[in-house]
Amino acid sequence: MNITKVGIVGAGTMGNGIAQVFATSGYDVKIRDVGDAPLERGISAIQKSLSKFVEKGKISEDDSKASIARIETTTNLRDLADCDLVVEAIFENFEAKASAFKELDELLRSEAILASNTSSIDITRLAAVTRRPDRFCGMHFFNPVPLMSLVEIIRGLTTSDETYATIKATAEKLGKTPVEVRDYPGFVSNRVLMPMINEAIFALFEGVASKEDIDTVMKLGMNHPMGPLTLADFIGLDVCLDILYVLYDGFKDPKYRPCPLLVKMVQAGRLGRKSGEGFYKYA
């Protein structure tokens, strides 16, 4: 199908980033969130991001203004009813996502496609709460969305070939590199990444090395752009913990058991950059 209007559910870090790349690629975008304040923060983040692209000469001032003009905001999910594609980008909780998809399924016309930006939750299970499981898939973007080129397209058990082809073509139009992934816990990215982060936390927990030295080993020895503990802070320790629980529950394999230190830090509210302190302190 021809996608021209895109809805984004959630104006947070991922939602506003996704909205930005769609708008800069010529799509009409509607962002929905539960209140005016998160929507205002989302638009402000987009404007700030676009300004940086203008400063670096990546886009013109006119392009920036045109992109913002393509974006509408709303607190009413019904305003997304005319969208060809809706991408959900709310927090990692099955019940919350399922509730949103049930409502969207009732509102959107039958040929519209639903996609989730979930980083780990079962796509087949989410699709099953709708009457269009063949027109449902995962569209997993990476943070920061305007800069990261990868999109994991997750095919649920019932995702049709037509839906996959449409989403693949859409991702390519956004300038992204789509990768086809089957619906298993953690997909590819987090199934590989989160055990590494978890093992780094275990190494710190067991006193193998300091946090700085663990990160230095991975940066200089493995050529990673940032160490796993710094990366965990960037992602959010609560998000890391949620994904590890999905892996642990999904595979029933003890190798995915979250490190007790990670659990305690989340309980203490030390979530990383967003809370001002995780493994490191932030101004």
Side-chain angles (χ1 to χ4, degrees), residues 56-276:
K56 294 177 180 178
K58 300 290 182 68
I59 62 173
S60 69
E61 186 67 40
D62 287 343
D63 289 336
S64 174
K65 290 178 180 177
S67 296
I68 290 293
R70 293 189 192 101
I71 300 173
E72 296 180 31
T73 61
T74 181
T75 57
N76 194 336
L77 210 58
R78 291 185 177 276
D79 290 334
L80 274 56
D82 63 342
C83 291
D84 307 305
L85 165 67
V86 175
V87 181
E88 166 273 316
I90 64 175
F91 58 98
E92 286 289 280
N93 177 274
F94 174 81
E95 285 74 20
K97 291 179 187 291
S99 176
F101 281 124
K102 285 178 182 177
E103 189 172 351
L104 285 165
D105 187 45
E106 295 287 339
L107 296 172
L108 271 62
R109 61 187 187 282
S110 61
E111 63 268 27
I113 295 174
L114 292 172
S116 176
N117 182 58
T118 179
S119 57
S120 60
I121 293 173
D122 193 307
I123 293 298
T124 302
R125 187 180 172 204
L126 284 173
V129 308
T130 75
R131 298 169 299 176
R132 64 184 80 209
D134 58 319
R135 292 180 298 285
F136 194 109
C137 69
M139 199 174 186
H140 182 206
F141 292 84
F142 291 77
N143 186 31
V145 180
L147 300 179
M148 299 293 278
S149 62
L150 178 65
V151 175
E152 281 185 314
I153 301 177
I154 299 94
R155 297 187 65 155
L157 185 64
T158 52
T159 303
S160 69
D161 290 341
E162 181 183 7
T163 295
Y164 170 74
T166 300
I167 296 302
K168 180 176 183 288
T170 300
E172 289 171 342
K173 186 176 178 182
L174 298 178
K176 304 300 184 184
T177 300
V179 174
E180 181 179 0
V181 179
R182 296 292 173 176
D183 188 21
Y184 287 91
F187 316 134
V188 171
S189 56
N190 283 314
R191 183 172 178 175
V192 174
L193 175 63
M194 287 303 156
M196 182 194 74
I197 288 175
N198 197 43
E199 198 62 31
I201 300 171
F202 266 113
L204 179 64
F205 180 58
E206 294 165 5
V208 176
S210 69
K211 58 181 180 288
E212 294 86 358
D213 287 345
I214 292 169
D215 277 353
T216 297
V217 166
M218 298 306 292
K219 286 191 292 182
L220 301 186
M222 313 306 166
N223 204 29
H224 289 193
M226 68 176 74
L229 301 176
T230 301
L231 179 57
D233 277 355
F234 180 76
I235 294 169
L237 302 192
D238 53 337
V239 175
C240 292
L241 182 59
D242 285 344
I243 295 170
L244 282 164
Y245 278 138
V246 168
L247 291 167
Y248 186 58
D249 293 341
F251 288 113
K252 302 295 188 290
D253 190 327
K255 73 179 180 181
Y256 298 112
R257 176 178 67 92
C259 178
L261 176 59
L262 175 60
V263 176
K264 286 295 183 186
M265 290 181 70
V266 172
Q267 290 173 341
R270 291 173 55 181
L271 308 181
R273 283 181 177 272
K274 61 186 172 185
S275 69

